[in-house]
Amino acid sequence: MAQIVRKNFDDADETRPFQDDKGRLDVIQTSGGAVGRAVFEPGWRWSEHVKPLAGTDSCEAAHTGYMVSGRMNVVMDDGTSEEYGPGDFMQIEPGHDAWVVGDERVVVVDWTGFGAYAKSSG
């Protein structure tokens, strides 16, 4: 029998807040793994608002996702950078920092990198 699934990020299986009320990650568990919707508020930066939770020098998650709204700059540990905006597909390897560009909230849906993202390392 075929299966059909419907879930809503507004009623996520788990929500992980970022430090200083700079956003959150809503996680839905699927048979294919975790899918996340991240909401990054203006002023959010990985190295300030997630690094204390992750306990690593840079983001060690790989990301495959879709930018719904806002603008985000990503800089790899080697200095390579890219700015993403609404409608962009993103694929980012581990070893990077990222931050919101401008005054608009960033919303990203990611289907590879948010399973353990923003979980406390302790």
Side-chain angles (χ1 to χ4, degrees):
M1 176 186 285
Q3 181 184 21
I4 187 167
V5 176
R6 180 185 169 276
K7 291 191 170 194
N8 191 301
F9 282 110
D10 291 334
D11 189 26
D13 296 320
E14 181 182 1
T15 295
R16 303 175 196 154
F18 301 141
Q19 292 202 340
D20 302 327
D21 295 323
K22 288 295 183 183
R24 70 182 187 281
L25 174 62
D26 301 314
V27 180
I28 291 176
Q29 297 297 334
T30 74
S31 61
V35 178
R37 174 185 68 182
V39 178
F40 304 104
E41 298 295 341
W44 176 89
R45 187 179 184 114
W46 184 92
S47 54
E48 294 174 21
H49 301 102
V50 180
K51 180 179 179 174
L53 299 169
T56 57
D57 289 335
S58 58
C59 181
E60 294 302 323
H63 301 285
T64 305
Y66 174 76
M67 291 286 295
V68 177
S69 63
R71 300 200 69 77
M72 177 176 282
N73 195 46
V74 177
V75 177
M76 303 301 294
D77 290 347
D78 71 1
T80 305
S81 67
E82 186 65 64
E83 186 172 304
Y84 296 95
D88 285 344
F89 167 82
M90 64 168 56
Q91 196 163 23
I92 304 166
E93 294 297 319
H96 57 272
D97 193 5
W99 57 89
V100 172
V101 174
D103 296 329
E104 184 181 350
R105 167 188 287 167
V106 170
V107 177
V108 178
V109 175
D110 184 318
W111 51 92
T112 61
F114 283 158
Y117 190 86
K119 277 193 172 181
S120 177
S121 62

